[in-house]
């Protein structure tokens, strides 16, 4: 479609050297072709042009002092992409690969993901090229304090509510929150993922992993199947992966791999019981490599390969962007994999996604599959506004309801536009329509 091609060309030209951002925008624009064909007013109102340009981008210096007494300078980012349906909302990523293109791709995806949850949250993302690996507690604290000393002026409980992502968990949220509270002299719901004694929601740590499994169960149910008895491969073992394993086990599934950037461990008996207890702390507490799991339980460590070569019924990438290439997708399909669900953000490369769709694999896109995390963040904001806290069961049952709804909305949108069971297009369309209609209603802003 000429309009879409032309807009995509302008996005590439205007945002040079940001391939991840181009990839994320391209996927959404492609999905929207049938929508704009049917409703040309999305072109004339300039909604698409506005949507691909962040409302605000903040880049700042983060100076701090390491344990050796040396001054270190990192770069901080916050991209406030879209506030049409609520305050900016999205995580912070601390990882050496972070640059503006990564934060823009994540912020762009967050717009649609947040809309899909049905909760009033706009889209944003932030972070730093700071590497938390090998840093002491004191170094992490001083970095977080410096980061928020600059960021605080741009965020707030009704403006922008950050949370965690890769490299940012409960400990980091604590240091960020403490410094923010000290600066503004107010106890507020400015961050989510807080500890439960200081405004956090029960079930927020579990939310992304549990939510992904609730979504997978919905996908399988659409074909009269279930997680019971299925063999599952995953790639990470952080916050998302560990709780995903816990829920998969409860559903009668068996998770047989975890991995990191260096390789993977295969555990044919399944990661369960005391092995899962060990794994829970491995990254989230000790920041130790995946190979330690293999060593601890006498399992094989496969260096330099990814778990996608292991036969499975369900593959769930839980690590990071572009971790599943076309060759991985071909191996998965050849080995009889029937369902792929993206629990990380944009883990499958575009040609891998197209391959899964061509082959009729049940494919769950990240914006839908991993929306449980931000959904419970939204519930944390609600509880903070009420100055009240729900029980674990209350939050978990709302999460389950939200994931079911996201599946229903995505598959209905796909059907409405004649796209069969294409949940990639369905999720993009359902998220887009909510945000686009709010933008149109609010005029050219
Ligand atoms: O990618 C994500 O949705 C997150 N990292 C969670 C964002 C949030 O605000 O809870």
């Amino acid at each position: 479609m000429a309009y879409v091609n032309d807009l995509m060309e302008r996005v590439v030209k205007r945002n040079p050297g940001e391939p991840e951002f181009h990839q994320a925008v391209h996927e959404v624009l492609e999905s929207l072709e049938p929508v704009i064909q049917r409703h040309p007013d999305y072109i004339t109102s300039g909604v698409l042009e506005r949507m691909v340009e962040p409302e605000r981008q903040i880049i700042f210096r983060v100076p701090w002092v390491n344990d050796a007494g040396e001054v270190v300078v990192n770069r901080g980012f916050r991209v406030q992409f879209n506030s049409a349906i609520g305050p900016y909302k999205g995580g912070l990523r601390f990882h050496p690969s972070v640059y503006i293109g990564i934060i823009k791709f994540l912020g762009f995806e967050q717009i649609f993901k947040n809309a899909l949850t049905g909760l009033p949250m706009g889209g944003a993302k932030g972070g730093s090229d700071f590497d938390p690996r090998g840093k002491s507690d004191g170094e992490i604290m001083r970095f977080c304090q410096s980061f928020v000393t600059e960021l605080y002026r741009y965020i707030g409980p009704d403006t922008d509510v950050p949370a965690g992502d890769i490299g940012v968990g409960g400990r980091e949220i604590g240091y960020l929150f403490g410094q923010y509270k000290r600066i503004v002299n107010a106890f507020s719901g400015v961050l989510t993922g807080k500890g439960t004694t200081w405004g956090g929601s029960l079930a927020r740590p579990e939310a992304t992993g549990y939510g992904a499994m609730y979504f997978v169960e919905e996908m399988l149910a659409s074909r009269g199947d279930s997680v019971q008895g299925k063999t599952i491969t995953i790639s990470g073992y952080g916050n998302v992966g560990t709780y995903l394993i816990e829920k998969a086990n409860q559903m009668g599934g068996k998770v047989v791999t975890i991995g990191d950037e260096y390789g993977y461990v295969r555990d044919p008996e399944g990661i369960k019981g005391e092995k899962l207890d060990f794994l829970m702390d491995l990254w989230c507490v000790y920041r130790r490599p995946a190979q330690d799991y293999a060593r601890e339980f006498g399992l094989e460590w496969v260096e330099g390969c990814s778990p996608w070569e292991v036969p499975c019924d369900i593959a769930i990438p839980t690590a990071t962007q572009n971790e599943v290439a076309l060759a991985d997708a071909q191996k998965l399909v050849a080995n009889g994999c029937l369902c792929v669900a993206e629990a990380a953000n944009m883990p499958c490369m575009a040609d891998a996604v197209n391959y899964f769709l061509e082959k009729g694999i049940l494919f769950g896109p990240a914006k839908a599959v991993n929306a449980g995390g931000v959904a419970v963040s939204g519930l944390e904001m609600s509880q903070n506004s009420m100055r009240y806290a729900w029980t674990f069961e209350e939050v978990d049952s709302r999460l389950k309801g939200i994931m079911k709804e996201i599946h229903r909305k995505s598959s209905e949108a796909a059907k409405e536009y004649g796209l069969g069971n294409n949940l990639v297009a369905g999720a993009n369309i359902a998220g887009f329509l909510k945000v686009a209609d709010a933008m149109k209603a609010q005029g050219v802003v």
Side-chain angles (χ1 to χ4, degrees), residues 103-431:
I103 301 300
K104 275 162 73 178
F105 116 66
L106 291 163
F108 184 73
E109 299 242 305
Q110 204 80 42
I111 304 170
F112 307 95
K113 184 197 303 191
N114 294 3
L116 282 170
T117 66
L119 301 170
M121 300 181 287
K125 203 83 186 193
S128 175
D129 57 1
F130 173 75
D131 187 356
R133 267 179 305 193
K135 301 290 190 298
S136 72
D137 226 41
E139 289 178 319
I140 301 266
M141 182 179 76
R142 291 194 295 281
F143 173 81
C144 288
Q145 289 176 340
S146 180
F147 185 87
V148 96
T149 299
E150 179 58 30
L151 185 67
Y152 90 93
R153 61 190 88 245
Y154 304 105
I155 61 176
D158 297 314
T159 309
D160 182 355
V161 182
D165 193 82
I166 294 171
V168 179
R171 174 180 56 167
E172 290 75 19
I173 294 294
Y175 295 145
L176 294 164
F177 181 79
Q179 181 74 350
Y180 180 88
K181 176 164 64 71
R182 188 179 182 201
I183 295 170
V184 304
N185 191 30
F187 194 105
S188 70
V190 68
L191 291 148
T192 60
K194 300 186 291 297
T196 49
T197 57
W198 40 281
S201 175
L202 288 164
R204 177 63 187 87
E206 291 84 352
T208 314
Y210 277 25
M213 285 314 300
Y214 293 145
F215 194 88
V216 167
E217 193 72 302
E218 287 301 302
M219 288 167 74
L220 291 168
S222 74
R223 290 199 182 165
D225 205 345
S226 80
V227 172
Q228 175 69 40
K230 298 287 186 297
T231 296
I232 303 167
T233 53
I234 72 168
S235 47
Y237 61 108
N239 167 260
V240 180
T242 48
Y243 288 110
L244 187 142
I245 297 173
E246 184 170 272
K247 184 52 73 180
N249 291 343
Q250 288 170 17
M251 290 175 164
K254 183 167 85 168
V255 180
V256 298
T257 62
I258 53 148
D260 61 19
E261 61 200 280
Y262 308 109
Y264 73 91
V265 193
R266 185 171 181 191
D267 187 348
E269 300 302 312
I271 299 166
K272 292 196 161 78
E274 66 178 71
K275 288 190 287 185
L276 180 55
D277 294 342
F278 176 87
L279 188 68
M280 284 265 173
D281 290 345
L282 195 59
W283 175 255
C284 293
V285 178
Y286 302 114
R287 310 257 174 213
R288 298 288 311 158
Q291 194 172 1
D292 281 20
Y293 182 91
R295 277 201 202 101
E296 179 78 13
F297 300 109
L299 295 159
E300 188 196 357
W301 168 254
V302 188
E303 179 81 20
C305 298
S306 76
W308 316 127
E309 62 189 25
V310 175
C312 66
D313 303 306
I314 306 169
I316 312 182
T318 55
T320 195
Q321 67 274 353
N322 292 329
E323 55 167 314
V324 181
L326 177 60
D328 299 313
Q330 286 165 337
K331 269 184 233 161
L332 282 165
V333 173
N335 284 332
C337 175
L338 53 99
C339 172
V340 176
E342 296 186 308
N345 286 312
M346 204 168 77
C348 298
M349 293 180 180
D351 49 6
V353 175
N354 291 335
Y355 186 76
F356 290 132
L357 293 175
E358 265 168 40
K359 295 288 169 189
I361 302 295
L362 271 177
F363 184 81
K367 295 180 193 82
V369 174
N370 75 33
V374 75
V376 174
S377 277
L379 299 178
E380 183 169 327
M381 291 169 72
S382 306
Q383 293 169 81
N384 290 164
S385 297
M386 289 190 288
R387 298 191 188 283
Y388 190 70
W390 290 321
T391 61
F392 187 96
E393 290 69 28
E394 170 90 50
V395 179
D396 187 38
S397 87
R398 283 176 194 268
L399 168 64
K400 202 179 209 168
I402 289 171
M403 298 314 296
K404 263 180 165 252
E405 259 310 280
I406 295 176
H407 183 267
R408 188 191 60 77
K409 282 187 267 195
S410 305
S411 51
E412 277 179 10
K415 284 197 187 78
E416 188 177 338
Y417 285 91
L419 301 164
N421 197 32
N422 181 342
L423 295 176
V424 178
N428 286 336
I429 292 170

Side-chain angles (χ1 to χ4, degrees), residues 76-89:
F77 303 89
R78 186 73 179 165
V79 172
Q80 299 177 330
F81 228 113
N82 193 300
S83 61
I85 64 166
Y88 305 112
K89 182 83 195 87

